[in-house]
Amino acid sequence: MYYFPQQPPYVLLVIGLFIAVTSGAALSGTLQQVIQQWQTAGAENSGLQFSKKPLIFPFLGIMLGTGLFLTCGLEIFGFPPLIAIGVGLTLGLLTSALMWFQLGSLMKFVETRGMRSLDLDSLS
């Protein structure tokens, strides 16, 4: 016997995608602003530390939107709600956690080696 949802969560899928995309744009803008302030203050030489505090709220929006999008997508393709929630939220949280740790390690790398270390064009 197959599982067919009575009303697939198409609206929630679109809402999750909207939340993830707008939070991603907010994270991008906030990150650019923080990096620009950090760069103009000469943080590489002055010992100032990169703070992730302004990035937490947009990042939580990305986590929520991605989890909602994955969960609804799985439900639309026929997974039962409990399995879709388990798999969708797990994938969303794991991906977001890996992205957060990568961002932190990249900022530590820039703190120790400077912004020029990220310029790939200067290597050639």
Side-chain angles (χ1 to χ4, degrees):
M1 179 165 244
Y2 294 105
Y3 171 76
F4 294 108
Q6 295 296 329
Q7 295 178 353
Y10 294 119
V11 174
L12 287 177
L13 180 88
V14 172
I15 289 172
L17 182 63
F18 179 75
I19 290 171
V21 169
T22 54
S23 296
L27 180 73
S28 173
T30 306
L31 186 60
Q32 287 176 358
Q33 185 180 12
V34 167
I35 293 296
Q36 188 177 28
Q37 290 173 354
W38 191 50
Q39 198 173 19
T40 58
E44 299 143 355
N45 301 325
S46 67
L48 293 175
Q49 297 232 343
F50 175 73
S51 174
K52 292 190 247 179
K53 288 180 185 177
L55 305 175
I56 291 175
F57 186 69
F59 191 78
L60 289 175
I62 292 173
M63 282 178 34
L64 173 74
T66 304
L68 184 63
F69 179 79
L70 288 172
T71 300
C72 292
L74 288 172
E75 278 191 52
I76 288 170
F77 283 111
F79 283 84
L82 288 177
I83 294 175
I85 289 170
V87 172
L89 290 181
T90 303
L91 280 175
L93 290 175
L94 281 175
T95 304
S96 299
L98 290 173
M99 190 174 97
W100 186 255
F101 290 130
Q102 181 67 30
L103 177 65
S105 67
L106 183 65
M107 290 301 110
K108 293 283 184 199
F109 182 76
V110 169
E111 278 183 45
T112 58
R113 299 202 180 178
M115 285 291 199
R116 297 217 57 199
S117 64
L118 295 179
D119 189 15
L120 297 176
D121 292 335
S122 66
L123 297 176
S124 57

